[in-house]
Amino acid sequence: MLNLERLRTLDAVARHGSVTGAADGLHVTTSAVSQQLAKLEREVGQQLVARNGRGVRLTDAGLLLADHAARILSQVELAQADIEAQRGQVVGEVRLAGFPTAARGLFPRAVAGLRREHPDLSVRISELEPERGIQEVIRGDMDLAVVLDWNNKRLPVPGGLTREPLLDDAADVAMPADHPLAGRAEVGLEDFADDDWVSWPAGEFCHDWLMFTLRSKGIEPRIAHLAGEHHTQLALIQAGLGVCVTPRLGRGPVPEGVALVPVRQPMLRHIYAVWRTDAERRPSIRAAVEALREAGREVEPV
């Protein structure tokens, strides 16, 4: 009889590509992962992993069993979801991931609401960029991720996931208070063709969006500084080091000396929740989505 937890360990090694990654995903030690794999090999009578440099790789038998393990674990997830749905109680644990401004602007209210309404539900949150959040949901390391795309650039969502809108979030242009355009009622991005820009780190979805959007306006952006946190970006603007796009969700107090001006053609971030479709019927998922949507209703309107 194959042991479910050992199959879960093999599945984690297959998904993460290493014993260390599997251990992190399962929240156990690397030694515990190695022991589970060794026991599973004895159970099936075949070698499942082999050394590959400093890491490991799955053997043909390991790949075959890992494929079965993924399907078995998916069925277990469906069974758990059906049992939870039949019982109709919001209990157990739900793991939420969200990009930084969602983690700051939505999670405190949403998690407090879940604790108040569903005291038997344990909630764990992690701050992750959208692409990473989706990957963690696919891997099963997160139950739900709050992600985003922009009105002119969509974030691909793989099959097997369900998505549900939470809110639309508008963004403004931030500039030093003495900037020539700081007193305008609204601006266009093309008005900043000669300015230095502060952007998100290269390779992040929002950085790619900014480059795409400015270039679509005929602007080859001069990216002077990179910063992942909006508060850091605004501090650079306060120092007179450029301009930036700053969304409203999770913005918090704006530093003195920084002016925010709306854009003529609104820049909107579409914010939504994604989760594995095979967990669709879990009451904890539905409760989390509703709590996030309720938190979103308190955000400054578009």
Side-chain angles (χ1 to χ4, degrees):
M1 180 68 69
L2 294 172
N3 179 280
L4 186 61
E5 286 309 307
R6 288 167 199 155
L7 289 178
R8 196 181 303 278
T9 301
L10 180 65
D11 176 69
V13 172
R15 288 186 288 105
H16 291 278
S18 70
V19 169
T20 301
D24 290 341
L26 295 170
H27 306 289
V28 298
T29 65
T30 56
S31 174
V33 170
S34 297
Q35 289 174 19
Q36 290 283 58
L37 290 174
K39 290 178 181 177
L40 186 58
E41 287 182 329
R42 287 197 293 272
E43 285 178 350
V44 300
Q46 293 195 62
Q47 185 180 5
L48 301 175
V49 295
R51 291 198 174 278
N52 185 29
R54 294 184 178 180
V56 298
R57 63 172 178 82
L58 295 184
T59 64
D60 288 345
L63 290 169
L64 177 65
L65 187 56
D67 184 56
H68 283 289
R71 292 199 295 272
I72 291 167
L73 293 170
S74 178
Q75 284 299 122
V76 170
E77 178 102 45
L78 282 169
Q80 290 173 333
D82 283 346
I83 288 294
E84 283 189 30
Q86 194 274 338
R87 186 170 49 189
Q89 296 177 338
V90 182
V91 296
E93 179 182 74
V94 63
R95 300 160 297 175
L96 310 180
F99 58 94
T101 51
R104 185 165 61 246
L106 295 178
F107 281 3
R109 290 190 188 97
V111 175
L114 285 169
R115 289 183 64 181
R116 184 173 58 254
E117 297 294 327
H118 307 290
D120 293 328
L121 178 67
S122 173
V123 184
R124 288 175 41 205
I125 64 171
S126 297
E127 189 177 282
L128 299 173
E129 289 298 328
E131 299 94 332
R132 175 80 185 279
I134 286 176
Q135 291 171 2
E136 295 287 297
V137 169
I138 292 171
R139 289 174 175 172
D141 296 329
M142 289 290 156
D143 297 306
L144 180 151
V146 178
V147 299
L148 67 94
D149 53 28
W150 292 83
N151 57 324
N152 62 336
K153 188 174 178 63
R154 306 308 298 268
L155 178 71
V157 175
L161 298 182
T162 297
R163 57 187 282 171
E164 189 161 321
L166 298 176
L167 73 153
D168 285 342
D169 179 39
D172 305 305
V173 177
M175 64 199 78
D178 59 0
H179 192 283
L181 301 178
R184 296 273 187 92
E186 58 183 18
V187 293
L189 292 182
E190 60 274 10
D191 297 333
F192 301 94
D194 297 326
D195 284 271
D196 288 339
W197 282 86
V198 178
S199 175
W200 296 268
E204 287 191 6
F205 180 73
C206 286
H207 175 85
D208 295 343
W209 164 81
L210 181 64
M211 301 295 287
F212 168 80
T213 301
L214 291 174
R215 285 169 176 162
S216 71
K217 301 284 186 183
I219 302 169
E220 184 54 40
R222 298 206 313 255
I223 305 297
H225 306 287
L226 301 174
E229 267 290 335
H230 288 161
H231 289 170
T232 305
Q233 294 180 2
L234 291 177
L236 294 170
I237 305 308
Q238 183 184 35
L241 299 178
V243 300
C244 74
V245 170
T246 178
R248 295 175 187 174
L249 176 65
R251 179 187 288 164
V254 178
E256 225 177 289
V258 174
L260 301 176
V261 183
V263 181
R264 278 190 293 273
Q265 297 176 325
M267 299 179 295
L268 296 179
R269 301 193 303 175
H270 305 304
I271 297 170
Y272 48 94
V274 298
W275 61 90
R276 293 184 305 282
T277 302
D278 57 15
E280 176 78 38
R281 297 186 62 197
R282 286 179 57 192
S284 56
I285 295 289
R286 302 310 312 175
V289 172
E290 183 51 42
L292 289 163
R293 189 181 290 111
E294 183 64 31
R297 294 189 185 106
E298 301 182 35
V299 174
E300 181 182 348
V302 173

